[in-house]
Amino acid sequence: MSFENWAAFAAASAILLVIPGPTILLVVSYALGQGWRTALPMAVGVALGDFTAMTLSMLGIGALLATSATVFTVLKVIGAGYLIYLGIKLFRAGGALRAEPRTDAVSSAKMMAHAWLVTALNPKSITFFVAFLPQFLDRHADFWTQMLIFETTFLALAFANAFGYALIAARARNVVRNPRAIRIFNRTGGTLLVGAGIATVAMRSGN
């Protein structure tokens, strides 16, 4: 695996992770209601959930690699289209971040388990990984080494992202409730995602 390929994966992952989905809304809800103490257990739970979904997805992709190069190539093209779709959807999302404060008193272990369940059992998570990961896999390199590097990178970013969202929601609540800030954030992220998808299609066309 080249450094450029890893850097592209890390950059795309960072952009995708900051998109507010069910997991991030849950993190923000706990942080708005209970403050900064939620940051660590929620971040750990999110990372564990992503580990579960990503491992299952990678194993399925590994099976595709071993059986059909054509199916794998088709999956990469579909994945590029999926990135463009996510980008357009995010660009048009507007300035709303619908997260209501959770004031129910729960232990750190329960918060972590809740974050894990929401992240791991969301059907969109596995679908996302199956569409996203093939963009960066090299069929001619060792699959297990790539799996280890990609999972470690993604989980570190997922942990940092969830932790950051929790701290921002706990300490700067006006930011996560500011429609203008959220709108700018969504449009910037959406544009970057569309660009990543188009770049992937262009690379496929040039090969």
Side-chain angles (χ1 to χ4, degrees), residues 123-164:
K124 291 182 179 179
S125 294
I126 294 178
T127 303
F128 159 72
F129 284 126
V130 170
F132 176 65
L133 289 169
Q135 313 302 315
F136 306 96
L137 285 172
D138 182 353
R139 293 193 72 252
H140 304 291
D142 182 70
F143 172 75
W144 297 107
T145 300
Q146 293 182 87
M147 180 175 174
L148 176 63
I149 293 172
F150 284 147
E151 286 212 25
T152 301
T153 300
F154 192 91
L155 296 180
L157 291 171
F159 177 91
N161 182 64
F163 195 84

Side-chain angles (χ1 to χ4, degrees), residues 24-25 28-29 31-32 95-99 164-179 181-182:
I24 292 303
L25 293 179
V28 171
S29 294
L32 287 174
L97 184 61
R98 298 176 178 86
Y165 258 110
L167 290 182
I168 291 172
R171 297 296 181 91
R173 301 182 182 190
N174 290 335
V175 174
V176 297
R177 290 176 169 172
N178 185 318
I182 298 300

